[in-house]
Amino acid sequence: MHIVVCMKQVPDSAQIRVHPVTNTIMRQGVPTIINPYDLFALEEAMRLRDRFGGEVTVLTMGPPMAEDSLRKALTFGADRAVLLTDRFFAGSDTLATSYALAGALAKIGEEFGKPSIVFTGKQTIDGDTAQVGPGIAKRLRLNQLTYVARIAELDLAAEEITVERRAEGGVQVLSTRLPVLVTMLEGTNEMRRGTLEDAFRAARTQVVTWSAADAGITDLTKCGLRGSPTIVKKVFAPSARAEKAHQIPTADLSFEALAEAVMGEIFARQPAIEGDLMRFSSGQ
Amino acid sequence: MAEAPKQAPAAAGRAATKKELPEHFKAYKHVWVVVECEHGVVHPVSFELLGEGRKLADKRGAELAGVVMGNDRAAIAAAAAAAFEYGADLVYTIADPALAHYRNEAFTKGLTDLVNTYKPEILLLGATTLGRDLAGSVATTLLTGLTADCTELAIDEEGSLAATRPTFGGSLLCTIMTLNYRPQMATVRPRVLAMPERQPGRSGRIVEHPLDLAEDDIVTKVLRFVADRDSNQAQLAYADIVVAGGLGLRSAENFQLVKSLAEVLGAEYGGSRPLVQKGWIAADRQIGQTGKTIRPKLYIAAGISGAIQHRVGVEGADMIVAINTDPNAQIFDFAHVGIVADAIKLLPALTEAFRKHLSVNRLAG
């Protein structure tokens, strides 16, 4: 069985700083990581491979330096890595991204065997859209399983898969036919520590690097900025509230007295809350 | 590669940043909201979207339509009636056994057909697991733009939808537009928009549409649905009072102080992202950009520094009370009331103060 995991290299959001004057992201010196949500997808893919046999290919689209993420994935235990990189992809929105990734996935199918499962993370931590997975599924006509909490059954002979999908207010148990696109929910597994053997293998493994042309993507009007129906009109920092918080003086007050002052302030500002609390309290 | 047929290409040129709407898109009018109705219950986010959709439609001189898909005709009628009372002029309905439970294939077909037949200018969905699953598929099928998790929707001077959303974990906001494709699609998370006033007795017209999809042609089957026993997910987002803790609590054990205060107040509790990462609280209790957005009447934040990613999730609260030992903590920039104190000491005192106050007044009453 061939499984492909789509990943994204993202800036470590905890360390993002915004330039105070220009309102642009200061990327310099911000470390990049594999989108954390994608690790759940990668681990799940490797577990299936370990159980059913086959190969895991990781795929990413990005600048040449995105190879770092692929190398990392190889050290975790992925078998093959494909980097899709081309200046024509710059400025892609989610529609253009799914076009390019779908093209690369089709090429991967031709070169290395058709994938039975394509995984992505639930969403990325920089864009947070959760749109690229469904986009790929639609373009490649893969059955779409998003927010998957658990893969309950996989029957390769019958080409069937059963999963538990996180829905509003409950869990849907869905069964469908391969090939599928699965977006994996966070917290569903824990990434393994790669073995020493994996590290050596990763060091020897050549990352397959494709341009748009290499991947057989010829319609460049559908790529990058040109292929993106959305445009970013404006980027700005959230405005500060005009007033800062009203500070309740704490000097020389016991915590009991301070608590009384806080409660008084709450009731003074939101009188309705006191009534609500009374009703709640009497109902107990 | 299997790609949906596309109509004439939109305005050529790099990033068509100017509005040059192709002729065939000019027939696209009106504002639509997908009314999410699962297990006979309309998701509140749909009403929030109708409230906002009403404003957008009025600005465009257009009609506001709801879209209800399902199987149970009584539930569909009830959802449509509610949609009218929350501002819809008309509701498109598709009733079919294949729509009994949410499935991507059937819902994508239904919504895509409706769009191609009745041509909305703006299409809004809730950023729920259903809405996000559906919106991504429909936008790709229609080859149009989709903006996720918007916090503000507006119409610009040229009449286009200006959808503002946080990006890079909330450090920045960006306004995104789909100038030359239709419909302009956006999702909005629950509780980001205010709940509009319900207008009892308000009515509108219903347009029924067929699904034209046989069950045998749908590959994916719903084997069963297991409802959450503790569906605190919705309760947190819609709670009137929320108490939350951050790293200032210093240990997982101290989080109990947050729970105790929440209990006395009949409140829901939650926490900032680091607490989830440390495993002190479950992921569905996370408040902020990557967790839940809340809009309570009262929000008490204990030991939370107030990073922007947290701020965007709580800004809609009527009143924010922040407790933090650091007088320069960012949370004091957007809280209404601040107390520079150690939450570990103040929380139990607050719990006691409220408990006493409530019991005294109950006895008096």
Side-chain angles (χ1 to χ4, degrees):
Chain A
M1 176 177 50
H2 188 198
I3 304 175
V4 180
V5 182
C6 300
M7 304 191 320
K8 186 180 183 189
Q9 187 179 52
V10 296
D12 188 345
S13 70
Q15 307 198 30
I16 289 254
R17 293 285 173 274
V18 179
H19 192 282
V21 178
T22 60
N23 274 343
T24 49
I25 295 283
M26 300 178 4
R27 288 171 189 274
Q28 266 179 337
V30 177
T32 56
I33 52 173
I34 296 176
N35 172 44
Y37 292 120
D38 297 343
L39 295 177
F40 301 106
L42 177 58
E43 174 60 26
E44 202 62 31
M46 292 193 296
R47 285 184 188 187
L48 291 176
R49 173 202 62 193
D50 295 347
R51 204 166 133 211
F52 294 94
E55 285 184 319
V56 172
T57 298
V58 285
L59 165 66
T60 197
M61 179 175 98
M65 71 167 193
E67 186 180 328
D68 298 347
S69 295
L70 293 172
R71 292 230 156 265
K72 184 89 187 154
L74 289 170
T75 65
F76 284 133
D79 300 285
R80 181 187 298 108
V82 177
L83 172 64
L84 183 63
T85 185
D86 201 312
R87 63 189 174 85
F88 289 115
F89 298 136
S92 294
D93 72 358
T94 56
L95 192 77
T97 300
S98 71
Y99 175 75
L101 287 175
L105 283 161
K107 184 73 176 176
I108 284 172
E110 287 169 25
E111 297 278 321
F112 309 115
K114 256 187 96 138
S116 302
I117 306 178
V118 176
F119 274 103
T120 71
K122 180 182 81 168
Q123 63 196 57
T124 58
I125 59 163
D126 56 350
D128 276 323
T129 70
Q131 285 165 200
V132 172
I136 292 170
K138 183 51 65 188
R139 289 178 184 278
L140 295 176
R141 294 181 193 267
L142 304 172
N143 293 310
Q144 174 175 322
L145 302 168
T146 54
Y147 302 101
V148 169
R150 194 170 83 91
I151 294 178
E153 281 175 55
L154 178 62
D155 186 335
L156 288 178
E159 300 198 317
E160 278 177 2
I161 186 168
T162 304
V163 303
E164 293 174 5
R165 172 179 185 270
R166 169 46 54 191
E168 299 302 310
V171 172
Q172 265 187 331
V173 184
L174 294 173
S175 123
T176 195
R177 256 206 305 279
L178 302 177
V180 290
L181 177 121
V182 173
T183 83
M184 206 66 202
L185 207 62
E186 72 276 15
T188 42
N189 56 42
E190 204 170 319
M191 176 51 75
R192 65 192 63 189
R193 302 169 74 103
T195 61
L196 199 58
E197 198 183 325
D198 285 325
F200 283 130
R201 198 176 39 78
R204 284 196 310 271
T205 305
Q206 190 82 24
V207 169
V208 179
T209 303
W210 286 343
S211 65
D214 295 336
I217 298 167
T218 49
D219 188 353
L220 299 178
T221 65
K222 291 181 179 160
C223 296
L225 273 177
R226 287 173 73 192
S228 299
T230 61
I231 59 152
V232 177
K233 198 77 178 181
K234 194 168 82 173
V235 180
F236 55 104
S239 59
R241 237 171 52 92
E243 286 172 70
K244 288 210 161 200
H246 165 76
Q247 291 287 350
I248 295 182
T250 55
D252 304 327
L253 283 184
S254 68
F255 280 98
E256 287 67 33
L258 186 54
E260 288 289 337
V262 172
M263 184 172 68
E265 188 70 33
I266 290 172
F267 291 156
R269 285 170 177 252
Q270 299 280 326
I273 286 179
E274 189 169 7
D276 290 350
L277 284 178
M278 289 304 165
R279 272 188 295 282
F280 162 74
S281 174
S282 331
Q284 268 190 329
Chain B
M1 191 162 51
E3 188 171 299
K6 192 184 173 182
Q7 290 165 306
R14 240 175 111 71
T17 49
K18 257 179 57 198
K19 189 165 176 176
E20 297 167 47
L21 191 65
E23 208 49 46
H24 64 268
F25 281 138
K26 292 193 174 150
Y28 283 67
K29 294 200 169 73
H30 307 304
V31 178
W32 286 14
V33 170
V34 172
V35 177
E36 215 176 283
C37 181
E38 284 234 277
H39 315 287
V41 182
V42 176
H43 196 295
V45 72
S46 304
F47 299 139
E48 295 160 12
L49 285 168
L50 284 166
E52 191 68 17
R54 183 70 262 168
K55 292 181 211 159
L56 299 176
D58 290 345
K59 219 168 252 173
R60 290 293 292 147
E63 287 193 306
L64 174 67
V67 174
V68 183
M69 294 182 274
N71 179 37
D72 178 351
R73 284 180 183 274
I76 291 174
F84 294 137
E85 295 191 341
Y86 280 105
D89 299 307
L90 72 158
V91 171
Y92 296 99
T93 63
I94 306 182
D96 195 286
L99 300 170
H101 302 280
Y102 175 73
R103 276 181 298 176
N104 179 271
E105 287 157 282
F107 275 67
T108 299
K109 164 96 168 61
L111 186 55
T112 307
D113 285 356
L114 280 176
V115 167
N116 285 330
T117 309
Y118 299 105
K119 304 186 190 313
E121 184 179 36
I122 293 172
L123 175 56
L124 307 176
L125 298 94
T128 58
T129 56
L130 185 159
R132 284 177 149 206
D133 185 278
L134 179 59
S137 294
V138 170
T140 311
T141 308
L142 297 168
L143 297 174
T144 191
L146 166 61
T147 308
D149 285 3
C150 303
T151 50
E152 199 188 323
L153 300 173
I155 302 288
D156 81 344
E157 58 282 357
E158 286 188 307
S160 303
L161 178 70
T164 299
R165 72 183 304 265
T167 187
F168 285 100
S171 332
L172 282 178
L173 295 168
C174 58
T175 302
I176 295 179
M177 307 185 77
T178 298
L179 294 179
N180 299 315
Y181 299 81
R182 291 293 180 269
Q184 306 160 86
M185 292 180 62
T187 64
V188 181
R189 297 201 320 180
R191 297 307 267 158
V192 167
L193 302 169
M195 179 65 76
E197 201 70 43
R198 187 169 187 153
Q199 300 161 262
R202 195 179 178 284
S203 185
R205 48 188 210 283
I206 289 182
V207 178
E208 292 183 18
H209 196 82
L211 180 66
D212 285 334
L213 185 64
E215 180 59 46
D216 289 349
D217 295 331
I218 306 173
V219 179
T220 304
K221 308 292 176 196
V222 180
L223 301 185
R224 57 185 182 276
F225 181 83
V226 187
D228 292 335
R229 235 175 311 147
D230 174 26
S231 65
N232 52 44
Q233 302 217 343
Q235 284 169 17
L236 176 56
Y238 287 89
D240 280 340
I241 303 179
V242 176
V243 186
L247 281 179
L249 294 174
R250 297 202 289 273
S251 76
E253 291 68 46
N254 285 335
F255 192 80
Q256 184 56 43
L257 304 174
V258 167
K259 285 190 188 174
S260 300
L261 178 56
E263 198 181 327
V264 168
L265 296 175
E268 281 294 329
Y269 66 89
S272 60
R273 185 163 66 176
L275 301 206
V276 176
Q277 287 167 342
K278 282 182 171 289
W280 294 4
I281 56 170
D284 60 5
R285 294 281 180 185
Q286 184 192 325
I287 297 168
Q289 159 74 358
T290 51
K292 297 277 179 300
T293 300
I294 58 171
R295 266 185 111 86
K297 293 177 183 164
L298 171 62
Y299 176 54
I300 301 175
I304 294 178
S305 63
I308 185 67
Q309 107 89 27
H310 185 76
R311 174 179 170 170
V312 297
V314 304
E315 263 178 330
D318 292 343
M319 180 176 178
I320 301 172
V321 176
I323 307 165
N324 203 298
T325 48
D326 175 6
N328 298 316
Q330 282 170 285
I331 194 142
F332 294 131
D333 293 343
F334 59 94
H336 302 90
V337 173
I339 308 106
V340 179
D342 188 348
I344 296 170
K345 303 234 174 62
L346 185 54
L347 279 174
L350 259 181
T351 306
E352 199 42 45
F354 276 109
R355 196 201 322 272
K356 249 199 249 156
H357 184 80
L358 293 174
S359 65
V360 165
N361 282 275
R362 192 174 48 200
L363 288 176

